[in-house]
Amino acid sequence: MEEHVSLVVNRTSIGDAELRRAAMSPLGDGQVRLRIDHVAITANTITYAQFGDLLGYWGFFPADEPWGLVPAIGSATVEQSHVPGVDEGTRLHGWYPMATTVDIVAAATATGLRDDGPHRAGHAPVYRAFSASDRDPLATDPADDERHSLLRGLYATGHLIESFLDHRWPGVTQSVVMSASSKTAIGYAFAARRTRTTTGVGPRLVGVTSEGNRAFVDGLDLYDDVITYAEVPGLEHVPTVIVDMAGAGAAVAAAHRALGDLIVHSMIVGKSHHDAPPAAVAGGPQPELFFAPSEVERQIAEAGAGAYTQRLAAGLAAFIDHSRGWLEVERRTGPDAFADAWRQVHAGAVPPSVGVIASMT
Ligand SMILES: NC(=O)c1ccc[n+]([C@@H]2O[C@H](COP(=O)([O-])OP(=O)(O)OC[C@H]3O[C@@H](n4cnc5c(N)ncnc54)[C@H](OP(=O)(O)O)[C@@H]3O)[C@@H](O)[C@H]2O)c1
């Protein structure tokens, strides 16, 4: 009989991950069984684990403490369904545990299905939704499935950051992007370039990265300037927004010290440098967390849901195409390779030119 394999992560020490094997149990009433084809593992997945308690990520797929199942973005197929309106064979994009399969209490929706498990009630609708590839307005060519899993959520964040900043601070001169080699940052830079090309206006994009990733970021040709973290104190003294995917407290503090009130907005997006200690910020406004759902609401209220989705879909398709020039998809197959992938991404040992796609089988 087939066994269920999952990768659990120690909530108190997220670099520690262990494989678990168990017998499969029969599917319950009102449930669907999803066979997980693959998931993407990026710094974003590590951040879910790091902020699992604070932001509720450990609650997506409950496990016995101190172990947890980290949600990861990917693709699955409905293998068995006890839910009317959910057909076996349907392919779905969404958040999955790092495992062979997952059984969820589901309800059919117009665009796929929704996880209706009682433990999911407190989670944002976007995290409970699985989009069926035959009805998904953001679907791209099935041949690009892995790039889609790697880039969709990260690009959408970059795209929304761009529109948020463009709306609130249209004339700002400079945008300083920390962890410029991350896919989310590249998504933002790509969206900002597109707007600048269309409208003729937009900030100068300054990418801040580690010395080892500088050549990669330069080669993207998306940022106007590329500097290292150590060079932050030399930033040009002009009205600036900070877009921080790194969470490297010292770098943000250095930017604030250097530019003070010239900073019009300082945005916290991520913590790819998950080990970096926080630092107090003096000078300019205090950094604020970016909350993507509010920006989605604003755009839908302003332009309508159709226009919002159409613009995002066009941007995502163009970004996936663009990624062929800088992102190589690397497949890790089998439980051990999956576990190694987690450890390597956690350790920052995967170069920015590589996108890791993992599957248990
Ligand atoms: N708030 C939101 O809604 C939202 C949405 C999407 C993403 N994010 C956040 O954005 C961040 C980037 O995510 P991503 O998936 O786009 O990242 P990614 O593509 O996997 O980024 C890789 C880059 O992150 C830095 N990095 C990764 N691991 C590191 C480590 N252990 N030590 C030091 N640096 C490390 C390096 O960049 P540098 O050398 O250039 O620093 C590396 O090239 C994550 O923290 C994620 O949670 C937030």
Side-chain angles (χ1 to χ4, degrees):
M1 192 182 172
E2 193 203 349
E3 57 178 6
H4 182 265
V5 185
S6 59
L7 183 70
V8 291
V9 167
N10 189 325
R11 299 186 190 197
T12 59
S13 170
I14 60 167
D16 296 342
E18 285 185 12
L19 292 163
R20 294 276 187 273
R21 295 169 198 274
M24 297 282 283
S25 39
L27 187 66
D29 288 342
Q31 291 195 330
V32 295
R33 176 161 295 166
L34 307 179
R35 177 149 303 270
I36 300 155
D37 300 319
H38 68 249
V39 297
I41 306 181
T42 71
N44 185 47
T45 329
I46 307 296
T47 305
Y48 288 160
Q50 189 171 16
F51 296 103
D53 284 321
L54 192 68
L55 301 176
Y57 292 112
W58 293 127
F60 281 30
F61 308 106
D64 290 335
E65 292 197 42
W67 301 97
L69 286 162
V70 182
I73 298 173
S75 173
T77 307
V78 178
E79 185 172 86
Q80 202 185 344
S81 173
H82 289 172
V83 176
V86 177
D87 298 331
E88 287 165 17
T90 305
R91 296 198 40 256
L92 299 163
H93 172 91
W95 280 263
Y96 302 97
M98 302 196 285
T100 42
T101 60
V102 62
D103 295 351
I104 60 171
V105 175
T109 64
T111 52
L113 61 90
R114 184 179 61 233
D115 187 341
D116 262 355
H119 59 289
R120 300 305 310 274
H123 294 138
V126 63
Y127 288 130
R128 296 172 57 193
F130 294 86
S131 311
S133 53
D134 55 351
R135 279 161 280 161
D136 180 2
L138 295 183
T140 47
D141 187 335
D144 287 331
D145 231 25
E146 295 171 341
R147 283 180 193 274
H148 188 97
S149 295
L150 275 161
L151 299 175
R152 175 180 176 153
L154 307 181
Y155 173 74
T157 305
H159 175 96
L160 291 165
I161 292 170
E162 190 280 323
S163 55
F164 171 80
L165 293 174
D166 187 50
H167 174 71
R168 296 281 296 275
W169 293 279
V172 73
T173 312
Q174 170 171 262
S175 177
V176 174
V177 188
M178 309 268 184
S179 210
S181 69
S182 67
K183 291 172 243 336
T184 310
I186 300 171
Y188 162 68
F190 180 80
R193 277 278 178 157
R194 264 164 78 90
T195 299
R196 205 165 75 180
T197 304
T198 317
T199 64
V201 286
R204 254 183 94 65
L205 299 168
V206 180
V208 186
T209 189
S210 319
E211 186 61 54
N213 291 332
R214 185 183 198 142
F216 167 79
V217 179
D218 255 331
L220 293 168
D221 240 357
L222 287 174
Y223 300 96
D224 298 289
D225 246 324
V226 178
I227 63 171
T228 63
Y229 292 100
E231 292 169 329
V232 165
L235 279 167
E236 199 182 335
H237 285 225
V238 290
T240 295
V241 289
I242 309 271
V243 182
D244 180 23
M245 278 72 169
V252 173
H256 279 252
R257 257 196 318 277
L259 300 182
D261 289 338
L262 283 170
I263 297 177
V264 298
H265 185 67
S266 184
M267 175 190 282
I268 305 168
V269 185
K271 191 155 180 55
S272 65
H273 294 213
H274 55 84
D275 286 339
V281 161
Q286 282 301 303
E288 283 178 38
L289 209 61
F290 176 62
F291 189 58
S294 305
E295 177 56 16
V296 174
E297 271 174 37
R298 182 192 72 78
Q299 283 194 35
I300 290 177
E302 207 172 277
Y308 159 74
T309 306
Q310 210 173 24
R311 189 169 166 266
L312 178 58
L316 174 63
F319 188 59
I320 285 178
D321 238 10
H322 186 266
S323 76
R324 294 183 222 288
W326 52 268
L327 184 69
E328 182 195 340
V329 177
E330 215 173 84
R331 251 197 172 274
R332 310 293 180 88
T333 308
D336 292 328
F338 204 128
D340 284 346
W342 173 265
R343 294 181 194 115
Q344 286 165 8
V345 175
H346 176 268
V350 175
S353 56
V354 167
V356 173
I357 288 286
S359 55
M360 285 293 181
T361 53

